């Protein structure tokens, strides 16, 4: 139920891809472990610290499921299912193609009743880092759903030698200084060398992440699409907008959720392929903007050695050096974005 | 009152901004005032007149609009004290040594709620560097008229609407859309503003490409398409210019005359009236800031009229164009047709030339170029519209005209608007299940 009664006044400049929408997708996924403390830091800062208090929800990391999935999606023929269009014109326009790179992390939410009773956990996914190259999708994600999707350039290529390369660039600065000129700076690169693709997960480390994804999938009462992603992922976002006069204040805050559904494309020649994750290299670039974005998710760098990756290195030391994921796969499917709803309105 | 949860992913640098040494190409044209009135009624006169107390209408005494192409070589945050919530990241820095770190850096004053509990090495927005961009927008003046004697005296003023604004910097688009409500579109803008070799004359060209659809077919795919093309030049005085100009610039054919205008522009900053009255040195901009309901995008969860100030200063290098040497061409097909029709009216539907997409040629009555510093500040929420059913309060209006603001306490009492019985935007405490 919604209590809004004021119609949104569309203009030719609204240019939002209205949910629900559906599309065809080619997805490259890379799983990696995340320190539990980093997930705790993120949910406390972006969900649990919201006001007014007492809040009516509690977000937590999912026990034993401290991982994230970096998803690169090449989306084709995205079209809204809404009778209206991308804009206010009565003429229905067509479809659009876009690329996006997101980091998905599973978290749990328990709602709190007025009697301060915690509900059973709801398993959701947050997207602390998201980059897209389509204005219409960015405007929709930011202004309707509340996902802070960043505009950027995404270059992806299936190389002739059978490899794959992904480069993500953002507008940012190399150093924090008033004299730094904003320019396109690299965020991350993914290199998949030739002969990396195979049919099955290659080793038990990868199987471990698959097992974690499977566990979250079961808790979410859904099934797996292929062997690597939940068929249905409920994503939660904090939708908020600044006050025009007092910029530190919000005129609207709400928890918004939506559902991403994936269906195997029956006509696709190769639905799912795994890669040898030891051959895959992911490099987070070392510049001021990238470090700030990593800080968004991992928080302030702690004293060295306190926030360790699986390889024993400090997470912050890993910025700028190539890392191997613990799972790498490619999936072709159809996706739907639907069931967008406002779970809690804070203002 | 809710605190905005800052995030680097928000990509917002809050105002005020300063834009030094901009280059402005201004093209003045006569809009169809019925379209201006329709714009007012659709986007600004949406509330109950008894509640808002003011309405917007075309400014009949100055029936012109301006198309501005502005290049900003430097765009920065003008408030050095404003900081992000993030502290300066360090590669392997250990915790600061209290013995060697100045106390002011170790910990901010605990009495400051903004910084309590955080060290004040938070990154100032100014330290996130500067950017540059080119912007194209259309603006026209509106009369905001109070509908009671008191509001007529205190709230009536001229404001400027911006029905179309196109930028090439995505962060600029995000800031404009989410903070001010200006529905900026992202585009590729290609500018050429160069002195032609040999004869000393200037030629200005602009090409704006927008994502669009070539046709209304549901099978069409969005692609970057040319939307707007402009050419102008040479700058006056020039022996190469057409001789049949009819604008006021026929009076300014000498460098001496244009220098006088330039000097007047600087001097008149104090008078708030520069550029021969064709463009104000201070523009009070009004925009409808609104956001969709997530579950039902046809409805809004927030709607308000927001104002801000765009101030031109240090105006120099003022040079007019012969308006007969200006060509402003809008592509008028596919998904661009509704834009052209909404801006310029049904007359925009001109027959295409042989084998070419239909275009609309915007006739200009004057054109000029100048350099200036632009300051962007004084953002205010003028009026918040009710969007919900319920007995809720909403923020007080802030209609009062700028020159009266220092005397606000003398001429009017400000107090929170009491809850209204039907339809009021407001603050809801506690969670609400949808």
């Amino acid at each position: 139920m919604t209590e809004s009664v004021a119609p949104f006044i569309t203009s030719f400049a609204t240019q939002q891809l209205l949910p629900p929408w559906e599309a065809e997708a080619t997805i490259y996924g890379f799983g990696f472990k995340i320190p539990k403390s980093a997930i705790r830091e993120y949910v406390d800062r972006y969900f649990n610290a919201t006001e007014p208090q007492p809040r009516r929800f509690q977000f937590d990391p999912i026990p034993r499921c401290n991982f994230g999935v970096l998803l690169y999606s090449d989306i084709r023929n995205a079209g809204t299912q809404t009778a209206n269009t991308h804009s206010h014109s009565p003429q229905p326009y067509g479809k659009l193609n876009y690329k996006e790179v997101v980091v998905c992390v599973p978290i749990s939410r328990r709602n709190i009743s007025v009697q301060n009773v915690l509900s059973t956990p709801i398993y959701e996914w947050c997207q602390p880092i998201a980059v897209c190259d389509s204005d219409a999708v960015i405007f929709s994600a930011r202004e309707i759903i509340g996902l802070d999707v960043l505009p950027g350039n995404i270059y992806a290529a299936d190389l002739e030698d059978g490899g794959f390369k992904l480069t993500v660039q953002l507008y940012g600065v190399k150093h924090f200084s008033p004299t730094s000129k904003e320019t396109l700076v690299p965020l991350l690169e993914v290199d998949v060398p030739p002969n990396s693709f195979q049919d099955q997960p290659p080793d038990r480390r990868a199987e471990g992440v698959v097992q974690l994804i499977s566990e979250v999938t079961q808790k979410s009462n859904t099934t797996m699409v292929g062997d690597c992603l939940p068929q249905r992922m409920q994503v939660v976002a904090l939708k908020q907008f600044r006050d025009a006069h007092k910029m530190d204040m919000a005129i609207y805050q709400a928890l918004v959720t939506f559902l991403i559904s994936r269906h195997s494309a029956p006509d696709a020649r190769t639905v799912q392929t795994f890669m040898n994750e030891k051959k895959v290299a992911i490099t987070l670039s070392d510049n001021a903007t990238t470090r700030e974005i990593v800080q968004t998710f991992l928080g302030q760098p702690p004293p060295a050695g306190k926030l360790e990756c699986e390889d024993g290195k400090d997470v912050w030391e890993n910025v700028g050096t190539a890392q191997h994921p613990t799972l790498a796969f490619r999936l072709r499917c159809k996706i739907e974005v639907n069931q967008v709803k406002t779970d809690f309105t804070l203002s | 009152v809710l605190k905005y949860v800052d995030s680097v992913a928000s990509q917002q640098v809050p105002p005020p901004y300063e834009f030094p040494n901009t280059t402005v190409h201004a093209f003045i044209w006569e809009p169809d005032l019925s379209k201006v009135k329709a714009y007012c009624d659709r986007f600004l006169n949406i509330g109950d007149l008894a509640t808002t107390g003011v309405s917007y209408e075309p400014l009949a005494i100055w029936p012109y609009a301006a198309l501005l192409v502005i290049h900003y070589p430097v765009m920065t945050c003008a408030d050095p004290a404003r900081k992000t919530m993030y502290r300066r990241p360090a590669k392997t820095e250990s915790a600061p040594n209290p013995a060697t770190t100045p106390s002011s850096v170790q910990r901010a004053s605990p009495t400051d709620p903004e910084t309590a509990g955080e060290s004040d090495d938070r990154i100032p927005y100014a330290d996130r560097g500067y950017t540059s961009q080119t912007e194209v927008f259309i603006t026209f003046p509106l009369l905001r008229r109070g509908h009671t004697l008191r509001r007529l005296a205190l709230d009536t003023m001229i404001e400027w609407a911006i029905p179309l604004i196109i930028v090439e910097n995505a962060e600029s688009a995000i800031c404009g859309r989410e903070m001010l409500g200006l529905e900026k579109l992202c585009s590729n803008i290609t500018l050429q503003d160069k002195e032609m070799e040999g004869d000393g004359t200037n030629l200005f060209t602009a090409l704006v490409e927008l994502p669009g659809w070539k046709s209304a077919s549901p099978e069409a795919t969005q692609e970057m398409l040319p939307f707007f093309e402009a050419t102008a030049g040479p700058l006056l005085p020039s022996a190469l210019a057409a001789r049949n100009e009819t604008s006021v610039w026929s009076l300014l054919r000498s460098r001496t005359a244009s220098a006088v205008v330039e000097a007047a522009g600087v001097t008149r900053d104090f008078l708030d009236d520069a550029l021969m009255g064709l463009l104000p040195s201070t523009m009070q901009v009004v925009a409808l800031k609104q956001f969709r309901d997530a579950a039902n995008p046809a409805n809004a969860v927030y709607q308000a009229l927001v104002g801000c100030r765009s101030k031109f200063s240090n105006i120099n290098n003022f040079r007019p164009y012969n308006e007969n040497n200006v060509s402003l061409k809008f592509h008028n097909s596919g998904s661009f047709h509704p834009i052209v029709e909404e801006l310029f009216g049904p007359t925009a539907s001109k027959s295409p030339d042989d084998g070419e997409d239909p275009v609309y040629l915007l006739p200009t009555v004057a054109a000029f170029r100048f350099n200036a510093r632009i300051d962007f500040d004084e953002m205010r929420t003028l009026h918040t519209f009710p969007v919900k059913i319920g007995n809720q309060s909403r923020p007080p209006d802030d209609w009062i005209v700028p020159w009266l603001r220092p005397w606000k306490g003398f001429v009017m009492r400000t107090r929170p608007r009491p809850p209204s019985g039907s339809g009021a935007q407001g603050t809801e405490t506690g969670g609400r299940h949808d």
Side-chain angles (χ1 to χ4, degrees), chain B residues 29-46:
Chain B
W29 49 284
E30 292 183 72
D32 179 347
L33 290 187
S34 67
K35 304 300 291 185
V36 177
K37 180 69 167 62
Y39 177 88
C40 293
D41 292 343
R42 180 172 175 82
F43 295 104
L44 305 177
N45 298 330
I46 59 176

Side-chain angles (χ1 to χ4, degrees), chain A residues 9 27 61 79 90 130 132 142 267 269 289-291 302 318 330 338:
Chain A
I9 302 170
I27 300 171
C132 182
R142 297 183 68 101
D267 55 342
R269 188 176 301 171
T289 297
T290 302
R291 283 180 168 269
N318 288 330
R330 182 179 65 194
N338 53 24

Side-chain angles (χ1 to χ4, degrees), chain A residues 133-170:
Chain A
D133 67 354
S134 166
D135 303 332
V137 177
I138 292 171
F139 296 156
S140 175
R142 297 183 68 101
E143 298 167 16
I144 300 177
I145 294 172
L147 282 172
D148 277 338
V149 178
L150 298 169
N153 287 353
I154 300 174
Y155 302 101
D158 291 309
L159 305 177
E160 289 183 358
D161 59 8
F164 172 76
K165 187 172 181 64
L166 171 68
T167 303
V168 183
Q169 294 177 320
L170 294 174

